[in-house]
Amino acid sequence: MDEFWLHPRLGTATRDGLAPRHYLVALQHAVQTLDADPRWQRWWHGSGLGGCELGIVTEGRLDHLRPSADIRRVDDLLRANFTCELPPVGADRDELARRATTEVRTMFEVIREAMALPDLPPTPEPSAPPGDADEVPVTAKSLPSIPRELEQQGYLTLTQVQDFFG
């Protein structure tokens, strides 16, 4: 089984127009690692779907409370969009890899529960992502200012998450 089943779409909701490139590279690397793992390929094959479009939107200091995902079947694909918390400023590449791996596994735990699939296979050991951050395609959208009292709730509404990638 060496076909690609997992198709990442990465995005960032920014206030300053700057994308957190190094973390997005780490997230893409974590997704590609699962996509290439034979245990994860077999696990996904059991879903009966041809693939999974996994949209990940980094959105700020705080993650939405779960479930903050839009998960739906579109023909032979599962389309799942999630928000994801940014790592602290100054995190090194190994820390980014650990955070990205944990974040992606958590997303698949939500998908597994939503689809009533068997337990997830073991997650491959995280490895540091490649250094060239310019190769990752990213959808970036600026968000309007929100009142300070709402900042603790996260930035994106579920509707915005659903519509993020168009």
Side-chain angles (χ1 to χ4, degrees):
M1 283 187 205
D2 42 26
E3 62 187 53
F4 295 107
W5 62 273
L6 187 49
H7 310 282
R9 295 181 305 164
L10 302 172
T12 186
T14 65
R15 295 220 178 271
D16 56 10
L18 299 175
R21 289 263 176 211
H22 294 294
Y23 190 52
L24 292 168
V25 169
L27 286 165
Q28 179 171 311
H29 181 66
V31 169
Q32 290 170 337
T33 300
L34 294 184
D35 188 43
D37 187 276
R39 296 169 299 182
W40 279 76
Q41 291 172 357
R42 283 190 297 278
W43 176 82
W44 183 257
H45 183 72
S47 75
L49 295 174
C52 176
E53 289 182 0
L54 183 64
I56 304 171
V57 181
T58 59
E59 65 150 341
R61 292 187 317 277
L62 301 172
D63 191 6
H64 278 277
L65 299 175
R66 303 280 191 233
S68 61
D70 172 39
I71 301 173
R72 59 180 111 168
R73 185 177 176 158
V74 179
D75 299 322
D76 191 32
L77 293 174
L78 182 74
R79 185 170 291 155
N81 295 322
F82 289 87
T83 59
C84 153
E85 180 182 15
L86 287 174
V89 174
D92 66 21
R93 288 179 55 201
D94 289 335
E95 175 64 15
L96 294 177
R98 280 190 298 278
R99 285 178 172 272
T101 299
T102 299
E103 193 72 44
V104 171
R105 183 176 178 89
T106 301
M107 292 173 190
F108 272 100
E109 187 60 41
V110 172
I111 290 169
R112 183 197 71 73
E113 288 178 20
M115 295 179 64
L117 294 172
D119 289 344
L120 297 175
T123 304
E125 197 59 36
S127 62
D132 73 1
D134 294 334
E135 299 293 320
V136 178
V138 175
T139 302
K141 293 187 178 181
S142 293
L143 295 177
S145 291
I146 59 172
R148 186 177 209 81
E149 63 272 10
L150 296 180
E151 227 173 76
Q152 296 297 317
Q153 297 176 18
Y155 298 132
L156 295 177
T157 66
L158 183 56
T159 301
Q160 289 171 316
V161 171
Q162 290 170 339
D163 297 337
F164 197 89
F165 295 103

